[in-house]
Amino acid sequence: MTSTPGSPQVSPNDPCPFLRALVAHGLLADDVVSVGEVTKTIVNVASAGDGQPQLPSSAIRAIALVANGLSPLQVVRNGLGGLRLSELRNGPLDKKGAGSRVLDASARIDTAELARLDDFASDKTDADGHVERGLDLAELRRMMDANFERAAERRRGVDRWLMNGEWPILLKVMGKLGKLGRYLSTTEVRDLFVERRLPERMSRRLTGG
Ligand code: HEM
């Protein structure tokens, strides 16, 4: 697994590519973060995306509260003690192979699954006229449907619904505004998963550069 030299380690039990990048960038602790802090950080990072995307803090807070367990006791524990990022694996949001499978159960990159993303992508032209491979919302939906479909023996009904809070939100946050609309650059998706790196333009805005 590749990682940026000197960047913080990320627990293999954190399966979220976006949270993994925030940890690697030093924006979130790898183990426990208060629900308020994780919400504020995600909203702030999102606003560094193209067009200053606004994520609803109430929805993020709700996800952070249930992410380690759905029982009232577990929800109270997250509310008082914080979200445990290094214990998301096997929690209620873990789709156990019903997602893209780019990260395996030990958070190692599956290169064949990473390459498969391109099956759903097409050529996109960015604002500067540069052509690259990318995924728009319709293409992401096709990929999510295919991911759900191929996991027929192990998926839960809720998994397809959970996906709507993953790839489309990533599109909103990390998407580039191309000539024909918003898309996720497959190169930037690769950097997020493999290098745990946010797009350069976002890090620049975050550090005020
Ligand atoms: C408190 C907030 C969040 C929590 C607790 C969380 C948790 C998770 C978990 C447990 C998974 C693994 C699901 C699986 O098994 O496939 C996941 C996947 C994912 N999350 Fe997050 N996440 C959060 C916020 C976000 C945000 C804000 C974004 C986008 C900007 C995002 C984007 C994704 C994506 C793209 C996947 C990958 C799905 C796949 O590989 O198919 N997450 N998240």
Side-chain angles (χ1 to χ4, degrees):
M1 192 159 50
T2 333
S3 68
T4 313
S7 75
Q9 287 301 302
V10 186
S11 165
N13 293 317
D14 178 353
C16 177
F18 188 67
L19 295 179
R20 293 174 65 76
L22 299 193
V23 170
H25 278 267
L27 297 167
L28 288 178
D30 187 37
D31 45 10
V32 192
V33 188
S34 77
V35 169
E37 182 66 26
V38 83
T39 304
K40 201 175 71 191
T41 304
I42 290 175
V43 168
N44 186 42
V45 171
S47 71
D50 288 10
Q52 289 187 289
Q54 299 299 304
L55 292 188
S57 35
S58 52
I60 300 169
R61 202 173 301 118
I63 292 165
L65 281 171
V66 301
N68 294 118
L70 295 171
S71 80
L73 214 63
Q74 287 164 317
V75 173
V76 169
R77 186 176 173 205
N78 277 29
L80 298 177
L83 169 69
R84 279 158 288 128
L85 272 69
S86 53
E87 293 176 29
L88 288 170
R89 182 86 54 200
N90 294 322
L93 306 178
D94 186 350
K95 301 197 298 304
K96 300 192 175 147
S100 74
R101 300 183 186 166
V102 172
L103 289 173
D104 72 12
S106 310
R108 278 183 305 248
I109 296 291
D110 184 325
T111 48
E113 296 294 350
L114 187 61
R116 170 180 170 270
L117 298 185
D118 194 58
D119 296 350
F120 301 93
S122 61
D123 286 349
K124 301 284 188 295
T125 309
D126 75 11
D128 302 326
H130 170 71
V131 177
E132 63 179 338
R133 300 290 286 172
L135 294 140
D136 61 23
L137 187 59
E139 290 161 337
L140 288 172
R141 285 201 181 117
R142 270 201 292 283
M143 178 185 73
M144 295 188 294
D145 287 342
N147 292 349
F148 188 65
E149 209 47 54
R150 71 177 175 175
E153 25 9 281
R154 60 174 107 169
R155 69 190 181 204
R156 304 164 298 177
V158 73
D159 287 339
R160 181 63 189 82
W161 179 80
L162 285 176
M163 289 177 198
N164 294 333
E166 298 169 350
W167 290 99
I169 306 303
L170 194 62
L171 173 67
K172 194 168 171 180
V173 170
M174 255 177 53
K176 290 171 78 169
L177 202 51
K179 297 267 188 230
L180 296 174
R182 210 170 180 84
Y183 68 92
L184 275 176
S185 149
T186 50
T187 306
E188 290 184 354
V189 169
R190 181 215 165 266
D191 287 348
L192 182 80
F193 274 84
V194 180
E195 318 281 355
R196 300 185 281 277
R197 199 169 61 214
L198 292 169
E200 168 74 31
R201 61 184 183 286
M202 288 183 70
S203 331
R204 234 187 2 251
R205 289 174 195 139
L206 281 168
T207 52

